[in-house]
Amino acid sequence: MIDRAVRVREFVRDVGAPTSRARIDPQRVVIGVVVLLMGYLVIVPLGYLLWETFRQGDSFGLDGFRDAFEVTGLGTLTYNSVVFATGATTVAVVVGTLLAYLVTRTDMPFRGLLFAAAIIPVILPGVLHTIAWVFLASPRTGLINLALSVLPGDPTVDVFSMPGMALVEGLHSVPLALLLMAGAFRSVDPATEEAALTEGAAPPTILWRVLLPSVRPALLGVLLIIAIRSLEAFEVPALLGIPARRWVFTSRIWSALRGYPLRLDEAGALSIPLLLLTTLGIVWYSRLTRRRAEFQTITGSSFRANPVPLGRWRTPVLLVTVVYMVVAVVLPIAMLAYVATQPFYSMPSFASLGSATLENFRQTFSSIDSMRAIRNSVLLGVGAASTVAAFGAIASWLVIRSRLRGRWLVDNLAGIPLVIPGLVMGLSLLIVYLRVPVPIFGTLWILLIAYVTRYLPYGMRSATSAMLQVGDELEEAAHVAGATWWQTMRLVHIPLILPGLGVGWIYVFLVSIRELSSSILLYSPGREVLSVLIMDQWLGGRIPELAALGVVMVATLGTLTALLWRLRARAGVEYL
Amino acid sequence: MRRMPLLVAILVFSCACGSGSSSTQDGAAATPADTTDSALPSIYTALERLDRDARRTRLAEMAAEEGTSLTLYTSMNVDDASVVLGGFEDLYGIEVELYRASASAVLQRVLQEAQAGFAGSDVVAVGSAEMSVIDENGLLEALQSPYVDEIVRSGVYPNWAAVYLNVFVAAWNVDRVPTDAVPETWEQVLTDFPDRLVMEVSDFDWFAALVRDYFVAELGYSEDQAVSLFESAAAHARMIEGHSLMTELTAAGEFDMAASAYQHGVERFQADGAPVSWEPAVEPLVIRPTGIGIQRTTDAPATALLFVDYMLSDAQPILVDLHRTPANQTVEGGVPAQYDSITVDPSIVGDDRGKWESLYERVVSASTEPTG
């Protein structure tokens, strides 16, 4: 570290010390610009949303609320939304935490391979994951139900039900829970664990009594993130909830935006309880983890612990894990691949395997729509990831390193999008750009704005984590050597946090490519993104084509992510 | 908490900006986008007194002068649309850019674009319910085409005309529904397939036509009785968005009975060997025209008119080949005329639309099962 500081000092001396102080403090300009931009991105859409919700012609009123809850009451919607989110969060956090424990702390065989396999669904867009589960667990034709039908008593798994919805949503969030909890477990000093082991404690006891208490803040954070993701989930409520008439806030908002006239006030009224629920979550979390340091528990130094021996449980645990992998990871992708080879959607049989064809793949590659959607998604993914990383770098510096007044505002503003569901963000931006004469409606820019705003907290988070790992002394050294603020930023700060930013970049790139809930309200013809195209193909009954597109997408994203992950590993960053 | 006032201030500020900039727009209904004076009336003048062949030649020349491609927003499925558009491209060498979505999505898109002053499409072709709304909002040019005289009377309006007729049918999976269990009446469709029936979430016009013109007018039900028949059916049915998806999942065996499939969709799956059928038909069939019209914002009016002429004439036999029912009465084919049918009345998608939409929303949303 000192060597680096010396090098920086020498470098600064070489390029010449600053000659005069700038008249306008660049730090203040930067903070001003960042606050204004963030305010524009975050607050303006919410302001418009509120205004549209309460507006009745030229005056204000509550008609939107009356209409919004006329068919399905506020109580039912809240109940359904909370039950759905609780179920999904429980599935994701329990499975994710157990898997994380097994792959980071025990001697289960094939840990690396299983870890990699378990995070594969992270590249599946929600819409594709949900459709794959329709193939697997629809009551009459789902593969799992066909397999179960040989059992006595005719047991059935029904994906079009509240437990089915919670399970599918939860399974889709398992990779995130796993990644975050694996990071948390790795950062726990193994000393206590080893002591417990010496005392003869069994692995479950160690997990429950030793590990979980020491990662409590991280666990609460994961609970919160996944609960919010589940509350704002759109794909599962739309594709599985509507057929079963299990309405939650998001599916109701979607429904309000489908009729004529466009019921913006009703959609706004439905958004407000949802925003309150997600905000309550954040308030609850910050009360539980008052001390700021605890927010960073999932980052920090890493320890290499001796694995806890599973003993006689080693084989059964491995078997259960493999069964989980097959059901949650292999089968959904395998079903997509199977359906992609069919002339029309039908269940696997000898006859259907005989009629397998690659025609759907040929169509995918020759279809202008598919190719355009891939291009749009990649463009937006790269654009959003890069913009968010840049914002994150500057904003996190302002919050952590600078002593400027007003930096709390940056921190608060960057956190707000966490509580704004994608559908609400889409709705808000739609309202803004239908009214403001800025010509971005009908372009990719409106989608970019939505993505950047939504994923700002992730960029901020990864930059903050990276920055906390870098000591102050390097910047101080640069300052002592006479470097200007900008030189310090460019030569010291950004290069040091680059690997951390890279992890955030990959994550934002992936979630941007998967994004549906904002895009579906904001895209325009010719500007479709992949998940919108898949949704449209589903609604249009083009199931084999969407499966083929899905397979192409999974293969491409999988390869890309693996490459990026390797690059990240080389850059020396161990985990998100 | 002491930071709250500032956030509130920003919020209020942004709201204030919102109200200031939107004085002329209304969120509930679109207003026509700013349009330059349309060239279409002068094109109509130039085409007056030309016979069909001469009109076609002249229009093709004018379209060539415009030199642009054409953008079509439609709810017709992509496979059929690409065949129909291919015919136009072959005839005139003009490329058609296609945006395909559900009719309600196309409607929202057109209204939003009008509100944002964004000229997205030249021609729009969706169901009569959506065409009426687009027309009510003043977004369509007057339509003058010699082929309009040949279109079924229920599908002719000043600014748009029917291009084909969507025929709603009850369709079933032939592997799951034995011949002796095939329904003969709509009552049987709605009552004999609990937990095996699928309904479409946005078919308020199909629902309204059956309630008003069949159950009430023909069978003597009260409106409440008819609506509650649908409500009890829906309480034990799955809801799906999209007719093609409904048919595909029925063909796959997920559902036994589809309440409102499109006849042409069922026949397409049949042709591919899927186990699905709609005949012997449950009568009356419900017919809803799909219309076509030219958007006021078009910058290629001659090309748009050439395309509409094509759709109302040359494309009609192509539509028959695609198992669809043509709107042009001079073209034979489509659903046999011997079946009893009801055409969705214009008042259902016009003045009474609000009533039927909210009734159907109640039908599809209400759950009789315990919450959760």
Side-chain angles (χ1 to χ4, degrees), chain A residues 48 51 80 138-141 158 160 243 245 252 258-262 345 372 408 434 523 540-541, chain B residues 3 22 28 97 99 108-109 133 234-235 237-239 241 244 248 252 254 256 357 361 364-365 371:
Chain A
Y48 268 94
W51 173 73
N80 283 352
S138 52
R140 308 279 297 280
T141 52
D158 185 358
F160 300 105
R245 284 165 286 109
R252 267 281 156 213
R258 304 290 277 171
Y260 172 79
L262 192 59
Y345 172 55
R372 194 164 52 192
W408 60 269
L434 283 179
Y523 82 97
Chain B
R3 290 163 182 172
S22 59
E97 181 117 358
Y99 165 60
Q108 295 304 348
R109 179 66 47 197
V133 173
R238 296 288 196 203
M239 293 297 153
E241 184 173 355
S244 304
E248 180 138 26
E254 187 54 49
D256 287 0
E357 262 194 333
E361 188 172 12
V364 299
S365 303
T371 315

CSV table of all heavy atoms in Angstrom, one decimal, chain A residues 48 51 80 138-141 158 160 243 245 252 258-262 345 372 408 434 523 540-541, chain B residues 3 22 28 97 99 108-109 133 234-235 237-239 241 244 248 252 254 256 357 361 364-365 371:
chain,number,residue,atom,x,y,z
A,48,TYR,N,-44.5,13.2,-10.2
A,48,TYR,CA,-45.5,13.1,-11.2
A,48,TYR,C,-46.5,12.0,-10.9
A,48,TYR,O,-47.7,12.2,-11.1
A,48,TYR,CB,-44.8,12.8,-12.6
A,48,TYR,CG,-44.5,14.0,-13.4
A,48,TYR,CD1,-43.2,14.6,-13.3
A,48,TYR,CD2,-45.4,14.6,-14.2
A,48,TYR,CE1,-42.9,15.7,-14.0
A,48,TYR,CE2,-45.1,15.7,-14.9
A,48,TYR,CZ,-43.9,16.3,-14.9
A,48,TYR,OH,-43.6,17.4,-15.6
A,51,TRP,N,-48.8,13.3,-8.3
A,51,TRP,CA,-49.7,14.3,-8.8
A,51,TRP,C,-50.8,13.6,-9.7
A,51,TRP,O,-52.0,14.0,-9.6
A,51,TRP,CB,-48.8,15.2,-9.6
A,51,TRP,CG,-49.6,16.3,-10.4
A,51,TRP,CD1,-50.3,17.3,-9.9
A,51,TRP,CD2,-49.8,16.3,-11.8
A,51,TRP,NE1,-50.9,18.0,-10.9
A,51,TRP,CE2,-50.7,17.4,-12.1
A,51,TRP,CE3,-49.4,15.5,-12.8
A,51,TRP,CZ2,-51.0,17.7,-13.4
A,51,TRP,CZ3,-49.8,15.8,-14.1
A,51,TRP,CH2,-50.6,16.9,-14.4
A,80,ASN,N,-52.6,-10.7,0.0
A,80,ASN,CA,-52.0,-11.6,-1.1
A,80,ASN,C,-50.6,-11.2,-1.3
A,80,ASN,O,-49.7,-12.0,-1.5
A,80,ASN,CB,-52.8,-11.4,-2.4
A,80,ASN,CG,-54.1,-12.2,-2.4
A,80,ASN,OD1,-54.3,-13.0,-1.5
A,80,ASN,ND2,-54.9,-12.0,-3.4
A,138,SER,N,-47.5,-27.0,-14.5
A,138,SER,CA,-48.9,-26.7,-14.7
A,138,SER,C,-49.6,-28.0,-14.3
A,138,SER,O,-49.1,-29.1,-14.6
A,138,SER,CB,-49.2,-26.2,-16.1
A,138,SER,OG,-48.6,-27.0,-17.0
A,139,PRO,N,-50.8,-27.9,-13.8
A,139,PRO,CA,-51.4,-29.1,-13.2
A,139,PRO,C,-51.7,-30.2,-14.1
A,139,PRO,O,-51.5,-31.4,-13.7
A,139,PRO,CB,-52.8,-28.5,-12.6
A,139,PRO,CG,-52.8,-27.1,-12.9
A,139,PRO,CD,-51.6,-26.6,-13.6
A,140,ARG,N,-52.1,-29.9,-15.4
A,140,ARG,CA,-52.4,-31.0,-16.3
A,140,ARG,C,-51.3,-31.5,-17.1
A,140,ARG,O,-51.2,-32.7,-17.4
A,140,ARG,CB,-53.6,-30.6,-17.2
A,140,ARG,CG,-54.8,-29.9,-16.5
A,140,ARG,CD,-55.7,-31.0,-15.9
A,140,ARG,NE,-56.3,-31.8,-16.9
A,140,ARG,CZ,-57.3,-31.5,-17.6
A,140,ARG,NH1,-57.9,-30.3,-17.5
A,140,ARG,NH2,-57.8,-32.4,-18.5
A,141,THR,N,-50.4,-30.6,-17.6
A,141,THR,CA,-49.4,-31.0,-18.5
A,141,THR,C,-48.0,-30.8,-18.1
A,141,THR,O,-47.1,-31.0,-18.8
A,141,THR,CB,-49.6,-30.1,-19.8
A,141,THR,OG1,-49.6,-28.8,-19.5
A,141,THR,CG2,-50.9,-30.5,-20.6
A,158,ASP,N,-49.4,-27.4,-8.3
A,158,ASP,CA,-50.1,-26.4,-9.2
A,158,ASP,C,-49.4,-25.1,-9.2
A,158,ASP,O,-49.4,-24.4,-8.1
A,158,ASP,CB,-51.6,-26.3,-8.7
A,158,ASP,CG,-52.4,-25.4,-9.7
A,158,ASP,OD1,-51.8,-24.9,-10.6
A,158,ASP,OD2,-53.6,-25.2,-9.4
A,160,PHE,N,-50.2,-22.5,-10.8
A,160,PHE,CA,-51.2,-21.4,-10.8
A,160,PHE,C,-51.9,-21.4,-9.4
A,160,PHE,O,-53.1,-21.6,-9.4
A,160,PHE,CB,-52.2,-21.6,-11.9
A,160,PHE,CG,-51.6,-21.7,-13.3
A,160,PHE,CD1,-51.5,-22.9,-14.0
A,160,PHE,CD2,-51.1,-20.5,-13.9
A,160,PHE,CE1,-50.9,-22.9,-15.2
A,160,PHE,CE2,-50.6,-20.6,-15.2
A,160,PHE,CZ,-50.5,-21.8,-15.9
A,243,PRO,N,-54.0,-16.0,-14.1
A,243,PRO,CA,-54.9,-17.2,-14.4
A,243,PRO,C,-55.6,-17.8,-13.2
A,243,PRO,O,-56.7,-18.3,-13.3
A,243,PRO,CB,-53.9,-18.2,-15.0
A,243,PRO,CG,-52.8,-17.4,-15.5
A,243,PRO,CD,-52.7,-16.2,-14.6
A,245,ARG,N,-56.4,-16.0,-10.6
A,245,ARG,CA,-57.1,-14.9,-9.9
A,245,ARG,C,-56.6,-14.6,-8.5
A,245,ARG,O,-57.3,-14.3,-7.6
A,245,ARG,CB,-58.6,-15.1,-9.9
A,245,ARG,CG,-59.3,-14.9,-11.2
A,245,ARG,CD,-60.7,-15.5,-11.3
A,245,ARG,NE,-60.6,-16.9,-11.5
A,245,ARG,CZ,-61.0,-17.7,-10.5
A,245,ARG,NH1,-61.4,-17.3,-9.4
A,245,ARG,NH2,-60.9,-19.0,-10.7
A,252,ARG,N,-52.5,-5.9,-10.5
A,252,ARG,CA,-53.6,-5.0,-10.6
A,252,ARG,C,-53.2,-3.7,-11.3
A,252,ARG,O,-53.9,-3.2,-12.1
A,252,ARG,CB,-54.1,-4.6,-9.2
A,252,ARG,CG,-55.2,-5.5,-8.7
A,252,ARG,CD,-56.5,-5.0,-9.3
A,252,ARG,NE,-57.5,-6.1,-9.4
A,252,ARG,CZ,-58.3,-6.3,-10.3
A,252,ARG,NH1,-58.4,-5.5,-11.3
A,252,ARG,NH2,-59.2,-7.3,-10.3
A,258,ARG,N,-54.2,-1.7,-18.8
A,258,ARG,CA,-54.5,-2.4,-20.1
A,258,ARG,C,-55.8,-1.9,-20.7
A,258,ARG,O,-56.1,-2.2,-21.8
A,258,ARG,CB,-54.6,-3.9,-19.8
A,258,ARG,CG,-53.4,-4.5,-19.2
A,258,ARG,CD,-52.3,-4.5,-20.2
A,258,ARG,NE,-52.3,-5.7,-21.0
A,258,ARG,CZ,-51.5,-5.9,-22.0
A,258,ARG,NH1,-50.7,-5.0,-22.4
A,258,ARG,NH2,-51.6,-7.0,-22.8
A,259,GLY,N,-56.7,-1.3,-19.9
A,259,GLY,CA,-58.0,-1.0,-20.4
A,259,GLY,C,-58.0,0.4,-21.0
A,259,GLY,O,-57.0,1.1,-21.3
A,260,TYR,N,-59.3,0.8,-21.4
A,260,TYR,CA,-59.4,2.1,-21.9
A,260,TYR,C,-60.6,2.8,-21.1
A,260,TYR,O,-61.6,2.1,-20.9
A,260,TYR,CB,-59.8,2.1,-23.4
A,260,TYR,CG,-60.2,3.5,-23.9
A,260,TYR,CD1,-59.2,4.4,-24.2
A,260,TYR,CD2,-61.5,3.8,-24.0
A,260,TYR,CE1,-59.5,5.7,-24.6
A,260,TYR,CE2,-61.9,5.1,-24.4
A,260,TYR,CZ,-60.9,6.0,-24.7
A,260,TYR,OH,-61.2,7.3,-25.1
A,261,PRO,N,-60.5,4.1,-20.7
A,261,PRO,CA,-59.3,4.9,-20.9
A,261,PRO,C,-58.2,4.4,-19.9
A,261,PRO,O,-58.4,3.7,-19.0
A,261,PRO,CB,-59.8,6.3,-20.5
A,261,PRO,CG,-61.0,6.1,-19.7
A,261,PRO,CD,-61.6,4.8,-20.1
A,262,LEU,N,-57.0,4.9,-20.3
A,262,LEU,CA,-55.8,4.5,-19.5
A,262,LEU,C,-56.0,5.1,-18.1
A,262,LEU,O,-56.2,6.3,-17.9
A,262,LEU,CB,-54.6,5.2,-20.1
A,262,LEU,CG,-53.2,4.9,-19.7
A,262,LEU,CD1,-53.0,3.4,-19.9
A,262,LEU,CD2,-52.2,5.7,-20.4
A,345,TYR,N,-46.4,-26.6,-28.8
A,345,TYR,CA,-46.2,-26.9,-27.4
A,345,TYR,C,-46.9,-28.2,-27.0
A,345,TYR,O,-48.1,-28.3,-27.2
A,345,TYR,CB,-46.6,-25.8,-26.5
A,345,TYR,CG,-46.6,-26.1,-25.0
A,345,TYR,CD1,-45.4,-26.6,-24.4
A,345,TYR,CD2,-47.7,-25.9,-24.2
A,345,TYR,CE1,-45.4,-26.8,-23.0
A,345,TYR,CE2,-47.7,-26.2,-22.9
A,345,TYR,CZ,-46.6,-26.6,-22.3
A,345,TYR,OH,-46.5,-26.9,-20.9
A,372,ARG,N,-33.0,-7.8,-33.3
A,372,ARG,CA,-33.1,-6.4,-32.9
A,372,ARG,C,-33.3,-6.4,-31.4
A,372,ARG,O,-32.7,-5.5,-30.7
A,372,ARG,CB,-34.3,-5.8,-33.6
A,372,ARG,CG,-34.4,-4.3,-33.4
A,372,ARG,CD,-35.3,-3.7,-34.4
A,372,ARG,NE,-36.7,-4.3,-34.3
A,372,ARG,CZ,-37.6,-4.1,-35.2
A,372,ARG,NH1,-37.4,-3.4,-36.3
A,372,ARG,NH2,-38.8,-4.7,-35.0
A,408,TRP,N,-25.2,13.6,2.5
A,408,TRP,CA,-26.2,12.7,3.0
A,408,TRP,C,-27.3,12.6,2.0
A,408,TRP,O,-28.0,11.6,1.8
A,408,TRP,CB,-26.8,13.2,4.3
A,408,TRP,CG,-27.3,14.6,4.3
A,408,TRP,CD1,-26.7,15.8,4.5
A,408,TRP,CD2,-28.7,15.0,3.9
A,408,TRP,NE1,-27.5,16.8,4.4
A,408,TRP,CE2,-28.8,16.4,4.0
A,408,TRP,CE3,-29.8,14.2,3.5
A,408,TRP,CZ2,-29.9,17.1,3.6
A,408,TRP,CZ3,-31.0,14.9,3.2
A,408,TRP,CH2,-31.0,16.3,3.3
A,434,LEU,N,-44.9,11.4,-21.1
A,434,LEU,CA,-46.1,11.7,-21.9
A,434,LEU,C,-46.4,13.2,-21.8
A,434,LEU,O,-47.1,13.8,-22.6
A,434,LEU,CB,-47.3,10.9,-21.5
A,434,LEU,CG,-47.3,9.5,-21.9
A,434,LEU,CD1,-48.5,8.8,-21.3
A,434,LEU,CD2,-47.3,9.3,-23.4
A,523,TYR,N,-41.3,0.5,-23.6
A,523,TYR,CA,-40.7,0.2,-24.9
A,523,TYR,C,-41.6,0.7,-26.0
A,523,TYR,O,-42.8,1.0,-25.8
A,523,TYR,CB,-40.5,-1.3,-25.1
A,523,TYR,CG,-41.8,-2.1,-25.5
A,523,TYR,CD1,-42.0,-2.4,-26.9
A,523,TYR,CD2,-42.7,-2.5,-24.6
A,523,TYR,CE1,-43.2,-3.1,-27.3
A,523,TYR,CE2,-43.9,-3.1,-25.0
A,523,TYR,CZ,-44.1,-3.4,-26.3
A,523,TYR,OH,-45.2,-4.1,-26.7
A,540,GLY,N,-48.8,-14.2,-27.4
A,540,GLY,CA,-49.2,-14.5,-28.7
A,540,GLY,C,-49.2,-16.0,-29.0
A,540,GLY,O,-49.4,-16.4,-30.2
A,541,GLY,N,-49.0,-16.8,-28.0
A,541,GLY,CA,-49.0,-18.2,-28.2
A,541,GLY,C,-47.9,-18.8,-29.0
A,541,GLY,O,-48.0,-19.9,-29.6
B,3,ARG,N,-34.2,16.0,7.8
B,3,ARG,CA,-33.9,16.1,6.3
B,3,ARG,C,-35.2,16.0,5.5
B,3,ARG,O,-35.2,16.3,4.3
B,3,ARG,CB,-33.0,15.0,5.9
B,3,ARG,CG,-31.6,15.2,6.5
B,3,ARG,CD,-30.8,14.0,6.4
B,3,ARG,NE,-29.5,14.2,7.0
B,3,ARG,CZ,-28.6,13.2,7.2
B,3,ARG,NH1,-28.9,11.9,6.9
B,3,ARG,NH2,-27.4,13.4,7.8
B,22,SER,N,-48.6,20.4,-18.2
B,22,SER,CA,-49.5,19.5,-18.7
B,22,SER,C,-50.9,20.0,-18.9
B,22,SER,O,-51.9,19.3,-18.9
B,22,SER,CB,-49.6,18.3,-17.8
B,22,SER,OG,-50.0,18.7,-16.6
B,28,ALA,N,-56.6,10.6,-19.1
B,28,ALA,CA,-57.6,9.6,-19.4
B,28,ALA,C,-57.8,9.4,-20.9
B,28,ALA,O,-58.1,8.3,-21.3
B,28,ALA,CB,-58.9,10.0,-18.7
B,97,GLU,N,-43.0,-2.3,-41.9
B,97,GLU,CA,-42.5,-2.5,-40.6
B,97,GLU,C,-43.7,-2.9,-39.7
B,97,GLU,O,-44.7,-2.2,-39.7
B,97,GLU,CB,-41.8,-1.2,-40.1
B,97,GLU,CG,-41.2,-1.4,-38.7
B,97,GLU,CD,-39.7,-1.2,-38.8
B,97,GLU,OE1,-39.1,-1.0,-39.9
B,97,GLU,OE2,-39.1,-1.2,-37.7
B,99,TYR,N,-45.5,-3.9,-36.1
B,99,TYR,CA,-45.5,-4.0,-34.6
B,99,TYR,C,-46.7,-4.8,-34.3
B,99,TYR,O,-47.8,-4.4,-34.6
B,99,TYR,CB,-45.5,-2.6,-34.0
B,99,TYR,CG,-45.9,-2.6,-32.5
B,99,TYR,CD1,-45.1,-3.3,-31.6
B,99,TYR,CD2,-47.0,-2.0,-32.0
B,99,TYR,CE1,-45.5,-3.4,-30.2
B,99,TYR,CE2,-47.4,-2.0,-30.7
B,99,TYR,CZ,-46.6,-2.7,-29.8
B,99,TYR,OH,-47.0,-2.7,-28.5
B,108,GLN,N,-53.3,1.1,-26.4
B,108,GLN,CA,-52.5,1.9,-25.4
B,108,GLN,C,-51.4,2.6,-26.1
B,108,GLN,O,-51.1,3.8,-25.9
B,108,GLN,CB,-52.0,1.1,-24.3
B,108,GLN,CG,-53.1,0.5,-23.4
B,108,GLN,CD,-54.0,1.5,-22.8
B,108,GLN,OE1,-53.8,2.7,-22.9
B,108,GLN,NE2,-55.1,1.1,-22.2
B,109,ARG,N,-50.7,1.8,-27.0
B,109,ARG,CA,-49.5,2.4,-27.7
B,109,ARG,C,-50.0,3.6,-28.5
B,109,ARG,O,-49.4,4.6,-28.5
B,109,ARG,CB,-48.9,1.2,-28.5
B,109,ARG,CG,-47.8,1.6,-29.4
B,109,ARG,CD,-46.6,1.9,-28.6
B,109,ARG,NE,-46.3,1.0,-27.5
B,109,ARG,CZ,-45.5,1.3,-26.5
B,109,ARG,NH1,-44.8,2.4,-26.4
B,109,ARG,NH2,-45.3,0.4,-25.5
B,133,VAL,N,-62.3,3.2,-30.3
B,133,VAL,CA,-61.6,4.2,-29.4
B,133,VAL,C,-60.6,5.1,-30.1
B,133,VAL,O,-60.6,6.3,-29.9
B,133,VAL,CB,-60.9,3.4,-28.3
B,133,VAL,CG1,-60.2,4.4,-27.4
B,133,VAL,CG2,-61.9,2.6,-27.5
B,234,ALA,N,-66.4,-18.5,-14.4
B,234,ALA,CA,-65.1,-17.9,-14.2
B,234,ALA,C,-64.5,-18.3,-12.8
B,234,ALA,O,-63.3,-18.5,-12.7
B,234,ALA,CB,-65.2,-16.4,-14.3
B,235,ALA,N,-65.4,-18.5,-11.8
B,235,ALA,CA,-64.9,-18.8,-10.5
B,235,ALA,C,-64.2,-20.2,-10.5
B,235,ALA,O,-63.3,-20.5,-9.7
B,235,ALA,CB,-66.0,-18.9,-9.5
B,237,ALA,N,-62.6,-21.3,-13.5
B,237,ALA,CA,-61.9,-21.4,-14.7
B,237,ALA,C,-60.5,-20.7,-14.5
B,237,ALA,O,-60.3,-20.0,-13.5
B,237,ALA,CB,-62.7,-20.6,-15.8
B,238,ARG,N,-59.6,-21.0,-15.4
B,238,ARG,CA,-58.4,-20.3,-15.5
B,238,ARG,C,-58.5,-19.1,-16.4
B,238,ARG,O,-59.3,-19.1,-17.3
B,238,ARG,CB,-57.2,-21.2,-16.0
B,238,ARG,CG,-56.9,-22.4,-15.2
B,238,ARG,CD,-56.2,-22.0,-13.9
B,238,ARG,NE,-55.6,-23.1,-13.3
B,238,ARG,CZ,-55.3,-23.2,-12.1
B,238,ARG,NH1,-55.5,-22.2,-11.3
B,238,ARG,NH2,-54.7,-24.3,-11.6
B,239,MET,N,-57.8,-18.0,-16.1
B,239,MET,CA,-57.8,-16.8,-17.0
B,239,MET,C,-56.5,-16.7,-17.7
B,239,MET,O,-55.5,-16.8,-17.1
B,239,MET,CB,-58.0,-15.6,-16.1
B,239,MET,CG,-59.3,-15.5,-15.4
B,239,MET,SD,-60.6,-15.4,-16.6
B,239,MET,CE,-62.0,-16.1,-15.7
B,241,GLU,N,-54.4,-14.5,-20.9
B,241,GLU,CA,-54.4,-13.3,-21.7
B,241,GLU,C,-53.9,-13.7,-23.1
B,241,GLU,O,-52.8,-14.3,-23.2
B,241,GLU,CB,-53.4,-12.2,-21.2
B,241,GLU,CG,-53.5,-10.9,-22.0
B,241,GLU,CD,-52.7,-9.8,-21.4
B,241,GLU,OE1,-52.2,-10.0,-20.2
B,241,GLU,OE2,-52.6,-8.8,-22.0
B,244,SER,N,-54.3,-16.9,-28.9
B,244,SER,CA,-53.4,-17.9,-29.4
B,244,SER,C,-52.8,-18.7,-28.3
B,244,SER,O,-52.8,-20.0,-28.4
B,244,SER,CB,-52.2,-17.3,-30.2
B,244,SER,OG,-52.7,-16.4,-31.2
B,248,GLU,N,-53.3,-22.7,-27.8
B,248,GLU,CA,-52.1,-23.5,-27.7
B,248,GLU,C,-52.1,-24.4,-26.4
B,248,GLU,O,-51.8,-25.5,-26.5
B,248,GLU,CB,-50.8,-22.7,-27.8
B,248,GLU,CG,-49.5,-23.5,-27.7
B,248,GLU,CD,-48.4,-23.1,-28.7
B,248,GLU,OE1,-48.4,-21.9,-29.1
B,248,GLU,OE2,-47.6,-23.9,-29.1
B,252,ALA,N,-52.4,-28.4,-26.0
B,252,ALA,CA,-51.4,-29.1,-25.2
B,252,ALA,C,-52.0,-30.0,-24.1
B,252,ALA,O,-51.4,-30.9,-23.6
B,252,ALA,CB,-50.4,-28.2,-24.6
B,254,GLU,N,-53.6,-28.6,-21.3
B,254,GLU,CA,-53.6,-28.0,-20.0
B,254,GLU,C,-55.1,-27.7,-19.6
B,254,GLU,O,-55.5,-27.7,-18.5
B,254,GLU,CB,-52.8,-26.7,-20.0
B,254,GLU,CG,-52.6,-26.1,-18.7
B,254,GLU,CD,-52.1,-27.0,-17.6
B,254,GLU,OE1,-51.1,-27.7,-17.9
B,254,GLU,OE2,-52.7,-27.1,-16.5
B,256,ASP,N,-59.3,-28.3,-21.0
B,256,ASP,CA,-60.1,-29.1,-21.9
B,256,ASP,C,-60.9,-28.2,-22.8
B,256,ASP,O,-61.1,-28.6,-24.0
B,256,ASP,CB,-61.2,-29.9,-21.1
B,256,ASP,CG,-60.5,-31.1,-20.3
B,256,ASP,OD1,-59.3,-31.2,-20.5
B,256,ASP,OD2,-61.2,-31.8,-19.6
B,357,GLU,N,-67.3,-3.4,-19.9
B,357,GLU,CA,-65.9,-3.7,-19.4
B,357,GLU,C,-65.8,-3.9,-17.9
B,357,GLU,O,-65.2,-4.8,-17.4
B,357,GLU,CB,-65.0,-2.5,-19.8
B,357,GLU,CG,-64.2,-2.7,-21.1
B,357,GLU,CD,-63.1,-1.7,-21.3
B,357,GLU,OE1,-63.2,-0.6,-20.8
B,357,GLU,OE2,-62.2,-2.0,-21.9
B,361,GLU,N,-64.8,-7.2,-16.0
B,361,GLU,CA,-63.6,-7.2,-15.1
B,361,GLU,C,-64.1,-7.8,-13.7
B,361,GLU,O,-63.3,-8.6,-13.1
B,361,GLU,CB,-63.2,-5.7,-14.8
B,361,GLU,CG,-61.9,-5.7,-14.0
B,361,GLU,CD,-61.3,-4.3,-13.9
B,361,GLU,OE1,-62.0,-3.3,-14.2
B,361,GLU,OE2,-60.2,-4.2,-13.4
B,364,VAL,N,-63.9,-11.7,-14.3
B,364,VAL,CA,-62.6,-12.3,-14.4
B,364,VAL,C,-61.8,-12.1,-13.1
B,364,VAL,O,-60.9,-12.9,-12.8
B,364,VAL,CB,-61.7,-11.8,-15.6
B,364,VAL,CG1,-62.4,-12.1,-16.9
B,364,VAL,CG2,-61.4,-10.4,-15.5
B,365,SER,N,-62.1,-11.1,-12.3
B,365,SER,CA,-61.3,-10.8,-11.1
B,365,SER,C,-61.9,-11.5,-9.9
B,365,SER,O,-61.1,-11.8,-9.0
B,365,SER,CB,-61.3,-9.3,-10.9
B,365,SER,OG,-60.8,-8.6,-12.0
B,371,THR,N,-59.0,-16.6,-0.2
B,371,THR,CA,-57.9,-15.8,-0.5
B,371,THR,C,-56.6,-16.5,-0.1
B,371,THR,O,-56.6,-17.0,1.0
B,371,THR,CB,-57.9,-14.4,0.1
B,371,THR,OG1,-59.2,-13.9,0.0
B,371,THR,CG2,-56.9,-13.5,-0.5
